[in-house]
Amino acid sequence: MSTIMEEYKRKLITPEKAAQFVNSGDKVAYGTFLAKPVDFDIALAERAGEEGFTDIAISSAGTIPPLPQVIMKDTEQKTF
């Protein structure tokens, strides 16, 4: 039987791989304040401007600077 930590480690993926799960038209909710997924945010921003990757909505309540990177790179993206 595996421990909880082994299960956790088995399920870990890179921020870049996680960003690939986001599709056009998706809404992505970031955690509040220090729970903002900074590395994922940067990886998602790298996808900004990809052909056919549009209308991503980012929700972030009480985020701390910097603003979500995908919005900084692609100003046509929106928040909700």
Side-chain angles (χ1 to χ4, degrees):
M1 181 196 297
S2 68
T3 67
I4 292 173
M5 187 55 73
E6 289 169 341
E7 182 85 7
Y8 168 76
K9 287 179 181 178
R10 186 177 61 76
K11 292 181 178 183
L12 282 177
I13 60 174
T14 65
E16 294 77 17
K17 182 166 176 124
Q20 292 299 315
F21 286 105
V22 179
N23 298 305
S24 291
D26 282 355
K27 293 181 179 178
V28 180
Y30 286 175
T32 58
F33 298 101
L34 295 176
K36 178 181 168 186
V38 175
D39 291 338
F40 170 79
D41 182 50
I42 292 167
L44 187 59
E46 290 299 315
R47 295 196 56 207
E50 280 183 11
E51 186 174 336
F53 189 64
T54 61
D55 298 321
I56 306 304
I58 305 291
S59 171
S60 181
T63 190
I64 58 172
L67 292 173
Q69 294 299 300
V70 71
I71 294 170
M72 300 293 287
K73 278 188 103 171
D74 186 349
T75 57
E76 293 196 22
Q77 299 297 349
K78 58 190 172 236
T79 60
F80 67 95

